[in-house]
Amino acid sequence: ANIGDLNAGTYRFVITAKDSSNNESAKNAAHAVTIELVNGILTTPTVTSSIYGFDGGGGSKTKQLITGSTQSRIRFDFFSGESFTNAEIQVTLEGITFTTNDYYTISGWTHPTSDQISNNGHTLTFTGSNIGVSDIAFELHNKVMPAPGTYLIKFKADADGPGTARSYSEEQVITLIILPPA
């Protein structure tokens, strides 16, 4: 379909289906497709690494916790798949939020600033990373676990910053599984 003349940026489209009676399926974020439109030269996605997950990155892609519990520390890591120059990194949490009491590290642990946190606390974006292939780690502190369910933590990086030769990597996902009390 013709979607018009959109500006460069990231767009999410939800796919639905219609039957012969013109009944449309429910719109569901799990069926969204993300498309990045760019101006000018075609960019190449940033390379991902297969090393990422909870508790040091080489660990599990899932973590089970109990609803209502307060976790003093939740750590997850993503290793970059290529060298970064003025990179932009974005992490989105479902079910819990970032605060300025949390930490991230590329070359030293630091607190996110309020201007790096958006989407009602669910997204952390930071720029200017100039490291080689390395561990990008996150620590969430004193989080109360949400209602039972499955919550995603999504990571993507643009190795050379917006609007240049590289574009955002494929999104890498790890999962928090929140269980009811025993």
Side-chain angles (χ1 to χ4, degrees), residues 115-147:
D115 63 322
Q116 293 173 311
I117 300 171
S118 62
N119 187 22
N120 292 319
H122 292 283
T123 302
L124 171 64
T125 304
F126 54 98
T127 58
S129 171
N130 291 303
I131 61 163
V133 177
S134 185
D135 182 14
I136 303 165
F138 300 85
E139 280 191 5
L140 308 177
H141 286 260
N142 301 313
K143 301 297 180 196
V144 176
M145 294 301 97

Side-chain angles (χ1 to χ4, degrees), residues 103-179:
Y103 289 92
Y104 69 88
T105 182
I106 295 178
S107 57
W109 289 101
T110 187
H111 292 287
T113 60
S114 58
D115 63 322
Q116 293 173 311
I117 300 171
S118 62
N119 187 22
N120 292 319
H122 292 283
T123 302
L124 171 64
T125 304
F126 54 98
T127 58
S129 171
N130 291 303
I131 61 163
V133 177
S134 185
D135 182 14
I136 303 165
F138 300 85
E139 280 191 5
L140 308 177
H141 286 260
N142 301 313
K143 301 297 180 196
V144 176
M145 294 301 97
T150 300
Y151 300 92
L152 303 179
I153 299 174
K154 303 172 187 177
F155 173 92
K156 64 182 183 175
D158 182 336
D160 60 0
T164 52
R166 299 306 238 179
S167 61
Y168 267 112
S169 63
E170 188 175 307
E171 211 168 53
Q172 294 174 283
V173 178
I174 57 177
T175 306
L176 278 175
I177 300 169
I178 306 303
L179 303 170

